[in-house]
């Protein structure tokens, strides 16, 4: 199945794009998606512990199972204000 | 309809100081503006990026939680997009019966915005370079 | 010429938030307004009396001492004369590099104004009565 | 000699006037002036410990010797803000 990754803040640099699609096996979780991204993007892998993922208005945890077509927003450490 | 708390371009702080309710004796406000310097480097501007769906919600939660904790009416707003030196990026206004609660709620709200709202600073430097600042891992609004 | 810090009639807080210097990242402000209630009595307005020669000087000293203590640019103003509920009677604006000093200086300045500036509140109540509030013996600006 | 007393805040109520002249012996001090006022105005006498006196832009202490024609401002406890 396919999901979309939306990269915010510095995660745009780590992944080299603001938005792209990611192919995952059916039944994959948020953690699986992060694992797949970390395997391709070493800068993201190094910062994985500080990275959150949002779907819509919610921060989701690694166990969340993904729907096909889901949009995952990568939320690196924030610096507003 | 309440105007959006997340807005494109520099904020106008005066907009948030318009009128005070009759039971308000003290208003504390904070306005964050773009500085011309950071860590010894000359800054020309900051591009603020936001993840809008969650940022809007979190800004609203900051107002609600401030009201719950301090019994104070709080309004917050944050800019996104390109800002230049001197532009206002964030405004917090806390209206209370007395000044102590107003200050406490205002300070809590700006501290919480910086930790709980998915917004990122990309600083632009005099030489033309740009860089995302290191931040802090996002937290829930109520989280200490 | 600097506008007077002691002014007849309600203040306009927006006037004091106009522009920020390029090295300012955080502005903390406090606005005091006339409340509709005090000690359980319905208040319709407050007449502020001032001893002008010393009040002007003390307000200026508050700005100077805040600058000295916190390294922060502070502007203060206080109203005198008849104010009604909702009117702004005092404004403090502290512009700093970062928010912590801005908040500290702003809070120090309003606390100091209340103890060191010869101004008196005469509250007017719904029934038509008026009363000078109990105050605090006047102190020097630098005195803890 | 004569000095002028200017009553601020609640001291207007204690003295029953906003401004009036006071006759003092030559060489009188601020403390002498306050003593003369306290003798006439019991409400002021009761609050004398919390009352300050200003001449021009300065708070003055009791030992200050008065010039003829001096203007003394009575500064009861303040309540600005």
């Amino acid at each position: 199945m396919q999901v979309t990754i939306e990269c915010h803040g510095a995660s745009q640099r780590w992944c080299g794009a603001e938005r792209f699609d990611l192919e995952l096996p059916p039944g994959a979780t948020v953690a699986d998606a992060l694992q797949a991204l970390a395997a391709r993007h070493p800068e993201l892998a190094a910062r994985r512990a500080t990275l959150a993922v949002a779907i819509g208005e919610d921060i989701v945890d690694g166990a969340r199972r993904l729907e096909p077509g889901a949009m995952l927003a990568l939320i690196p450490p924030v610096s507003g204000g | 309809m309440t105007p959006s708390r997340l807005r494109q371009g520099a904020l106008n702080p005066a907009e948030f100081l318009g009128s005070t309710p009759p039971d308000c004796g003290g208003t504390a406000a904070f306005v964050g503006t773009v500085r011309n310097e950071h860590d010894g480097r000359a800054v020309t501007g900051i591009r603020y990026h936001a993840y809008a769906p969650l940022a809007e919600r979190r800004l609203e939660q900051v107002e609600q939680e401030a009201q719950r904790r301090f019994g104070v009416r709080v309004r917050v707003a944050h800019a996104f997009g390109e800002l230049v030196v001197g532009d206002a990026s964030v405004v917090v206004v806390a209206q209370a019966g007395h000044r102590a609660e107003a200050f406490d709620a205002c300070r809590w709200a700006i501290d919480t915005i910086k930790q709980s709202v998915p917004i990122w600073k990309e600083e632009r430097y005099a030489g033309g370079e740009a860089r995302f600042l290191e931040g802090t891992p996002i937290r829930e609004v109520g989280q200490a």
Side-chain angles (χ1 to χ4, degrees), chain A, chain B:
Chain A
M1 70 177 182
Q2 192 171 285
V3 299
T4 301
I5 306 296
E6 205 179 80
C7 297
H8 291 278
S11 70
Q12 297 175 1
R13 303 280 157 84
W14 308 336
C15 297
E18 293 194 17
R19 176 192 286 240
F20 55 91
D21 294 331
L22 182 69
E23 193 63 37
L24 293 171
T29 63
V30 167
D32 295 332
L34 283 174
Q35 186 59 38
L37 292 172
R40 296 180 205 184
H41 304 292
E43 286 196 280
L44 182 147
R47 290 164 173 95
R48 199 170 147 182
T50 62
L51 191 67
V53 175
I55 296 179
E57 294 187 1
D58 298 300
I59 299 282
V60 293
D61 65 24
R64 164 76 74 97
R65 210 164 283 280
L66 296 170
E67 307 281 332
M71 174 88 77
L72 280 70
L74 300 187
I75 311 289
V78 297
S79 56
Chain B
M1 196 195 118
T2 309
S4 174
R5 296 171 182 86
L6 184 67
R7 304 186 185 191
Q8 179 140 30
L11 303 175
N12 173 20
E15 175 193 334
F16 299 88
L17 287 176
S19 71
T20 54
D23 60 350
C24 170
T27 299
F30 179 79
V31 180
T33 44
V34 177
R35 296 183 69 195
N36 63 359
E37 181 273 337
H38 185 224
D39 287 346
R41 298 185 71 176
V43 172
T44 58
I46 296 181
R47 185 175 175 198
Y48 283 87
H49 300 247
Y51 174 54
L54 182 57
E56 270 290 353
R57 185 182 175 196
R58 288 282 172 98
L59 290 170
E60 189 179 356
Q61 287 176 342
V62 168
E63 294 182 358
Q64 292 166 343
E65 181 69 11
Q67 168 85 46
R68 196 186 69 74
R69 288 191 180 210
F70 302 96
V72 166
R73 176 185 332 215
V74 171
R75 283 271 291 130
V76 306
H78 203 298
F80 68 94
E82 291 285 352
L83 271 63
V84 298
V85 171
D87 279 352
S89 57
V90 60
V91 174
V92 175
V93 174
Q95 296 176 323
H98 299 285
R99 69 189 188 285
E101 311 94 87
F103 275 113
D104 289 347
C106 187
R107 196 156 186 168
W108 178 86
I110 182 62
D111 289 348
T112 302
I113 286 170
K114 286 173 174 269
Q115 298 176 337
S116 303
V117 182
I119 296 179
W120 298 272
K121 284 190 185 80
E122 187 180 14
E123 277 189 348
R124 304 197 178 285
Y125 303 105
E129 201 202 336
R131 174 173 81 93
F132 280 102
L133 297 192
E134 296 294 326
T136 182
I138 195 166
R139 299 183 192 182
E140 299 286 327
V141 166
Q143 199 174 327

